[in-house]
Amino acid sequence: MSKKTEKDRARDDEDLEDEDGSTDEDNDDGEEEAKATAVHGRDDDDDDDGVEPEDPYWWTPHAVLSALVLIGLLGFFGMFNKTPLSRLAAPVAPAPDEHEHAAAASPAPAPKPTPRPAQSAQAPREMFGAKHLLVMYKGSRRAPPTVERTKEEAQARATEAMKKAKADPSKFADIVKEYSDEPGADKRGGDLGKFPKGAMVPEFQAGLEKIKVGEVSDLVETPFGFHVILRTQ
């Protein structure tokens, strides 16, 4: 009887522990559900009731963007070219350099004359000296109207004067006064002075070069008449 009672008591204790454990578990579950309910309920209330207030400056970015677009369009069509703002946007020319002003003011240097090649020194022309008498005829160059003799008569007269000059060259001046038709020959004694080669007509130059200094030439015919030449140089 006592043993059964102890067993019964033991069972009763176990049943009580089971009931207490279940009761504690139920209580724990209930508390967790209550917390969850409280948390979720608070969140739901916050989601439902927590509407964010409207930003009073929400239009500001749109207005700035619109203004920038409008300014870009006006600038594209050149609306700012006639306004003072265009001066700010216009490029500023750099200040002129003082050296550039000085270079522009100073005249350009005159080009240097091109040096000419040195002319080769010409060889001195050969000089001659001579005296002569001239017997002219009618029709010869520069013959005065007073000359009426023919060419043959002029040749004969010149041959006579040549023979006298060759016989005595020292009397050449006297022979010139007697026979020469050249104007002023009697005053100069027929002296032509000094002259370069080529100054006389070719026939006279050729006859002069055939003789030496101090010699008397044969008859030399030129367009002016017949010459008798005494070379002096």
Side-chain angles (χ1 to χ4, degrees):
M1 187 87 180
S2 59
K3 292 182 181 179
K4 187 176 181 180
T5 302
E6 290 177 359
K7 292 182 179 180
D8 294 335
R9 288 179 180 177
R11 291 177 180 174
D12 292 337
D13 291 337
E14 291 177 359
D15 294 336
L16 289 175
E17 289 177 359
D18 294 336
E19 290 178 359
D20 292 337
S22 60
T23 302
D24 293 337
E25 292 177 358
D26 293 338
N27 290 334
D28 293 337
D29 295 337
E31 289 177 359
E32 292 178 359
E33 290 178 0
K35 290 179 181 180
T37 301
V39 172
H40 289 294
R42 193 179 298 114
D43 293 338
D44 294 339
D45 292 340
D46 292 340
D47 293 338
D48 295 338
D49 298 336
V51 178
E52 293 182 359
E54 183 178 357
D55 187 3
Y57 299 101
W58 63 270
W59 52 271
T60 303
H62 301 284
V64 172
L65 182 59
S66 300
L68 292 176
V69 173
L70 180 60
I71 291 173
L73 291 175
L74 294 177
F76 177 76
F77 289 105
M79 296 299 293
F80 293 113
N81 293 339
K82 299 180 181 179
T83 63
L85 293 176
S86 61
R87 298 179 182 177
L88 298 178
V92 179
D97 191 359
E98 294 181 358
H99 298 288
E100 293 181 359
H101 279 294
S106 61
K112 294 182 180 180
T114 304
R116 296 181 178 179
Q119 295 181 354
S120 58
Q122 295 182 356
R125 299 173 66 181
E126 186 178 1
M127 298 298 293
F128 292 87
K131 295 180 181 180
H132 82 122
L133 65 85
L134 173 62
V135 180
M136 306 176 78
Y137 55 88
K138 187 176 183 179
S140 62
R141 187 179 297 180
R142 297 181 183 179
T146 56
V147 175
E148 295 290 341
R149 69 178 68 92
T150 63
K151 185 175 181 180
E152 289 76 12
E153 293 174 345
Q155 183 176 3
R157 181 178 173 85
T159 302
E160 184 179 341
M162 176 193 67
K163 291 179 180 180
K164 291 182 178 181
K166 283 189 175 185
D168 191 357
S170 63
K171 295 181 179 180
F172 192 82
D174 296 334
I175 299 172
V176 170
K177 291 179 182 179
E178 182 181 358
Y179 289 94
S180 183
D181 294 322
E182 182 184 10
D186 55 343
K187 296 179 181 179
R188 294 182 289 103
D191 191 0
L192 297 175
K194 297 179 180 180
F195 50 88
K197 182 177 182 178
M200 301 298 178
V201 292
E203 297 88 351
F204 188 96
Q205 183 69 40
L208 179 61
E209 291 182 2
K210 289 179 179 180
I211 58 177
K212 298 178 181 179
V213 176
E215 289 184 351
V216 177
S217 68
D218 294 334
L219 289 186
V220 176
E221 183 180 0
T222 71
F224 299 94
F226 294 96
H227 301 262
V228 177
I229 305 171
L230 172 64
R231 183 170 179 176
T232 60
Q233 180 174 339

